[in-house]
Amino acid sequence: MEATATCLARSMSARSILTRRKRRQRSPGGFSIGCNASFDAMLTVRGLKRLHISVSFDLQDGECVALQGPSGAGKTVLLRSIADLDRTEGTVKLDGTLREAMPAPAWRKQVTYLATEPGCWSDIVQEHFTVWDDARPLVTRLGLPEVCGPWPIQRLSAGERQWLWLVRTLMLRSRVLALDEPTSRSTPHPPRRWNP
């Protein structure tokens, strides 16, 4: 059986993000979330409070939800809080296990946050991956050339680097992906034609 990931995505326009429209809730911060209440939720968030945000929702395995709202509404804070990168009040559970019951690195391996502008730690594209050969099929599927591995990272546009970080995040095989504006710098469909 192939594992599926639940995806929380922050997007000002959810054109490339699947949303499941069940019951809608609006947070006091002014952004909306898709909500699916159930007793067997994979990710459960109850009374999560940070700054002016307070939310509760359940996500099922394989469900994808887009968070939408104006700048400053707290979408990034919510995603970072769920991934245990920012301190919050409230309860977050993964498969019934409290976030606090797991060491932070173990939680973050299962609930991965991808920032709007992730940083580079190497000058070479393929050095951002543990095994470049494993990443190449997904890299090419997203429209980047297979031969981009040895390229300097500066050769890629901001949108192409964003696709690369998305590949890296997907390679982690986390249960929950908290993607902060994952397509904000890229075209809806990455280019298929390249001039090396």
Side-chain angles (χ1 to χ4, degrees):
M1 180 169 79
E2 186 175 318
T4 56
T6 293
C7 170
L8 287 169
R10 174 184 174 223
S11 174
M12 289 310 288
S13 71
R15 65 176 181 257
S16 62
I17 306 296
L18 252 178
T19 60
R20 178 180 271 182
R21 295 190 190 273
K22 295 233 178 199
R23 189 178 66 193
R24 304 293 287 178
Q25 287 184 342
R26 186 160 298 275
S27 78
F31 63 88
S32 59
I33 59 173
C35 182
N36 184 20
S38 171
F39 292 105
D40 60 348
M42 190 219 355
L43 181 73
T44 303
V45 176
R46 293 286 176 266
L48 188 66
K49 295 177 187 171
R50 170 96 171 136
L51 303 174
H52 60 281
I53 303 168
S54 179
V55 296
S56 296
F57 61 92
D58 292 330
L59 291 176
Q60 303 302 317
D61 196 20
E63 186 173 17
C64 187
V65 174
L67 305 177
Q68 294 181 305
S71 293
K75 300 177 298 290
T76 295
V77 172
L78 174 63
L79 294 177
R80 288 181 52 84
S81 298
I82 291 168
D84 197 27
L85 294 170
D86 290 335
R87 289 277 178 216
T88 57
E89 295 177 25
T91 303
V92 182
K93 294 180 185 177
L94 181 64
D95 296 324
T97 302
L98 282 169
R99 177 180 56 186
E100 295 78 14
M102 241 185 250
W107 180 268
R108 292 177 192 138
K109 198 171 195 177
Q110 294 299 312
V111 181
T112 301
Y113 172 74
L114 176 62
T116 303
E117 298 180 28
C120 299
W121 56 87
S122 173
D123 292 334
I124 304 299
V125 169
Q126 67 192 19
E127 291 177 6
H128 290 90
F129 297 87
T130 306
V131 182
W132 173 248
D133 287 340
D134 292 345
R136 268 197 322 222
L138 191 50
V139 165
T140 57
R141 189 171 174 192
L142 288 177
L144 296 168
E146 187 173 341
V147 296
C148 73
W151 289 1
I153 197 76
Q154 296 81 7
R155 184 171 175 181
L156 300 178
S157 71
E160 292 162 350
R161 284 194 301 271
Q162 196 166 22
W163 286 115
L164 191 70
W165 304 144
L166 182 58
V167 169
R168 180 168 164 65
T169 301
L170 292 171
M171 296 294 297
L172 297 173
R173 298 188 173 280
S174 302
R175 295 288 312 282
V176 178
L177 302 174
L179 308 174
D180 197 347
E181 296 192 35
T183 61
S184 63
R185 295 186 173 167
S186 55
T187 57
H189 304 286
R192 293 282 176 193
R193 213 178 62 189
W194 289 74
N195 295 324

